[in-house]
Amino acid sequence: MEEVQRHSVHTLVFRSLKRTHDFFVANQSLLPEMDENLEKSKYSIKARDSYGLVFDRVANAKNVSIRRSEVLRTEAGPNPTQDHMLAITAGGEQDQGANTQSALLPVGASQSSQNTNSNTVQILPKKAPTIPKPKWHAPWKLCRVISGHLGWVRCVAVEPGNEWFATGAADRVIKIWDLASGKLKLSLTGHVSTVRGLCVSPRHPYLFSCGEDRQVKCWDLEYNKVIRHYHGHLSAVYTMALHPTIDVLVTAGRDSTARVWDMRTKANIHTLGGHTNTVASVVCQAANPQVITGSHDSTVRLWDLAAGKSMCTLTNHKKSVRSIVLHPSLYMFASASPDNIKQWRCPEGNFIQNLNGHNSIVNTMAVNPEGVLVSGGDNGTMFFWDWRTGYNFQRFQAAVQPGSMDSEAGIFAMTFDMSGSRLITTEADKTIKIYKEDDEASEESHPVNWRPEIIKRRKY
């Protein structure tokens, strides 16, 4: 048996190429002829496919310029050169002849030159951005401190009739207070851990609560007892919101989801999943997006309530979003994060502006119909902003209860009453504080410190 001679890969490839060349060398000069019409049609199809929109625009621009020149020709008459009306005149008819040499252009000449160069782009001078002056708002002052809870007061909700408000705390108790006098009316017990969220229904005698015990409860205020439980959350429930027009409740928490409940049947209609960390804030409105959530994953999501899916995810924040607030009359909302507060326009979530100044975690925000936006920080700082311009017209440090440590100055929740004239805050020193506008203040005593040149440098 003969041994097969081994060759290198290079030799084998070279032999294969040589055989291929010898096989096809006879047909090398018999290439098919080029069809010029076919090549032209091929290139025109490619150009139309890639640049069809540009071709249409150029053709439309040419047609417009032709029509405009025809109209000018008919308006000018048989001898348009005799019309010496000037583009810029100075004085009456006696000055017109004297200023012919100094005029910029005759009207006919300027129009004809525009027609001949219709395809050129005219660059207009850009207007400098104008910053509107903020509306004057009276400063706010502390008018009442209410104590009664035995733990951090984590949430607050005002009754639609504006007669009382409810607070929930780490002592597991929900307390109902008279808004006018600040006296305790009722204590509701039932949660076995911190109460983190409260809502009062405007159409039913119901109070809804949620807490770190994973429970969501519906209280009947005619009997002052729990009538429904909503089971489904896998971890602590941190926030809740009622839909303003339909009987739907939305809750969210540490399991990174927001759940939509039928208020009466207790059915879990949707589980809004998509966040990758704790959902810290949820709000509802009648128009789209009907549900908006803010999460510790530093995103804000806008949800389609009918489909149960996310419409849009806003990723502008760099840190966790702990608070979202809707404007009561404008189609806008704001989201708060330790980096800054951002304002957005619905329904697409278009970014409007940043509100800078807080140097701490922003736990909560509230806005009233007058356009006063208030934000509360984890270190007890409160900032008052003009919603339209983002001007910070007041800031102060909330005073802690005597005997408390300075570290217990955190503000956990805040809300305006139904009139927008009183602000209720719940804090880490176990107190509830009520603020109102200073009646004695005026624009002369507290002027707007408006310095647009500094704001321009900061913004642009």
Side-chain angles (χ1 to χ4, degrees), residues 350-422:
N350 300 322
F351 174 73
I352 304 299
Q353 63 180 347
N354 281 327
L355 278 61
N356 299 306
H358 266 291
N359 293 320
S360 66
I361 295 170
V362 183
N363 285 323
T364 179
M365 290 189 298
V367 61
N368 71 358
E370 298 297 318
V372 176
L373 173 67
V374 191
S375 55
D378 219 29
N379 58 357
T381 54
M382 288 177 65
F383 282 53
F384 292 78
W385 315 81
D386 177 50
W387 177 280
R388 190 170 63 94
T389 59
Y391 170 67
N392 177 211
F393 67 88
Q394 187 183 6
R395 60 175 72 180
F396 58 78
Q397 177 81 34
V400 296
Q401 184 82 335
S404 303
M405 296 182 292
D406 290 339
S407 59
E408 291 184 317
I411 300 170
F412 289 125
M414 62 172 56
T415 185
F416 283 98
D417 70 347
M418 293 301 152
S419 66
S421 61
R422 283 173 290 190

Side-chain angles (χ1 to χ4, degrees), residues 57-73 111-120:
R57 287 187 177 179
V58 171
N60 291 336
K62 285 183 179 178
N63 293 334
V64 169
S65 65
I66 290 169
R67 283 200 297 271
R68 200 176 286 165
S69 60
E70 288 176 354
V71 169
L72 287 171
R73 244 185 266 118
Q111 288 173 342
S112 61
S113 64
Q114 285 178 3
N115 293 329
T116 54
N117 299 323
S118 61
N119 292 333
T120 60

Side-chain angles (χ1 to χ4, degrees), residues 128-134 353 388-391 450-460:
T130 57
I131 303 172
K133 186 174 181 180
Q353 63 180 347
R388 190 170 63 94
T389 59
Y391 170 67
W450 179 235
R451 301 174 69 184
E453 66 278 0
I454 294 176
I455 296 173
K456 275 186 184 178
R457 285 202 299 270
R458 194 185 304 150
K459 283 193 175 184
Y460 302 105

Side-chain angles (χ1 to χ4, degrees), residues 26 38 58 126 130 195 220 232 249 251 270 284 391 395 440 445:
L38 191 64
V58 171
K126 190 176 179 181
T130 57
V195 182
D220 189 330
L249 173 71
T251 59
H270 293 304
C284 291
Y391 170 67
R395 60 175 72 180
E440 299 175 357
S445 62

Side-chain angles (χ1 to χ4, degrees), residues 46-359:
K46 275 193 171 183
R48 173 62 61 181
D49 182 53
S50 301
Y51 306 107
L53 185 62
V54 179
F55 290 160
D56 294 340
R57 287 187 177 179
V58 171
N60 291 336
K62 285 183 179 178
N63 293 334
V64 169
S65 65
I66 290 169
R67 283 200 297 271
R68 200 176 286 165
S69 60
E70 288 176 354
V71 169
L72 287 171
R73 244 185 266 118
T74 55
E75 287 180 354
N79 193 7
T81 57
Q82 293 178 358
D83 187 8
H84 291 294
M85 187 181 292
L86 300 180
I88 296 179
T89 60
E93 294 179 356
Q94 66 274 15
D95 300 330
Q96 192 169 330
N99 289 326
T100 305
Q101 302 297 326
S102 62
L104 294 183
L105 274 177
V107 171
S110 65
Q111 288 173 342
S112 61
S113 64
Q114 285 178 3
N115 293 329
T116 54
N117 299 323
S118 61
N119 292 333
T120 60
V121 179
Q122 184 180 6
I123 299 174
L124 297 173
K126 190 176 179 181
K127 283 186 178 180
T130 57
I131 303 172
K133 186 174 181 180
K135 178 183 174 184
W136 182 82
H137 298 284
W140 291 69
K141 64 178 183 179
L142 179 65
C143 68
R144 176 173 287 133
V145 178
I146 303 171
S147 57
H149 279 290
L150 303 177
W152 289 356
V153 193
R154 300 302 302 245
C155 52
V156 60
V158 179
E159 180 252 342
N162 214 33
E163 293 182 358
W164 52 265
F165 67 94
T167 56
D171 58 6
R172 303 166 293 177
V173 180
I174 300 167
K175 290 183 181 288
I176 294 176
W177 312 84
D178 185 73
L179 187 57
S181 64
K183 292 181 180 178
L184 180 65
K185 298 180 71 171
L186 187 68
S187 293
L188 301 173
T189 57
H191 281 279
V192 295
S193 188
T194 303
V195 182
R196 292 294 294 264
L198 289 171
C199 279
V200 185
S201 173
R203 297 189 304 278
H204 313 93
Y206 295 157
L207 169 71
F208 295 88
S209 64
C210 64
E212 294 180 5
D213 52 7
R214 297 179 293 178
Q215 295 187 38
V216 180
K217 297 176 184 285
C218 174
W219 303 77
D220 189 330
L221 296 174
E222 292 178 347
Y223 299 97
N224 297 332
K225 65 178 184 179
V226 178
I227 57 171
R228 294 188 191 99
H229 288 90
Y230 302 88
H231 296 289
H233 276 286
L234 306 176
S235 191
V237 189
Y238 283 171
T239 180
M240 66 194 322
L242 282 169
H243 196 283
T245 56
I246 56 177
D247 290 346
V248 160
L249 173 71
V250 184
T251 59
R254 211 167 67 197
D255 57 4
S256 307
T257 63
R259 294 179 184 267
V260 184
W261 309 91
D262 186 314
M263 189 189 294
R264 297 193 177 279
T265 65
K266 302 180 284 186
N268 188 183
I269 303 167
H270 293 304
T271 301
L272 307 178
H275 285 293
T276 57
N277 207 328
T278 300
V279 182
S281 182
V282 62
V283 292
C284 291
Q285 61 180 355
N288 286 328
Q290 297 184 49
V291 179
I292 306 171
T293 56
S295 169
H296 287 193
D297 63 7
S298 74
T299 64
V300 177
R301 283 183 180 259
L302 284 55
W303 301 90
D304 182 345
L305 185 58
K309 294 180 180 177
S310 176
M311 294 166 50
C312 177
T313 304
L314 309 176
T315 58
N316 300 45
H317 283 289
K318 298 180 181 65
K319 297 183 180 180
S320 59
V321 181
R322 292 173 184 254
S323 179
I324 291 177
V325 66
L326 292 167
H327 194 281
S329 57
L330 301 177
Y331 198 25
M332 297 171 66
F333 69 95
S335 58
S337 176
D339 49 8
N340 49 37
I341 298 168
K342 296 181 186 292
Q343 288 180 344
W344 314 86
R345 183 179 287 114
C346 297
E348 286 89 9
N350 300 322
F351 174 73
I352 304 299
Q353 63 180 347
N354 281 327
L355 278 61
N356 299 306
H358 266 291
N359 293 320

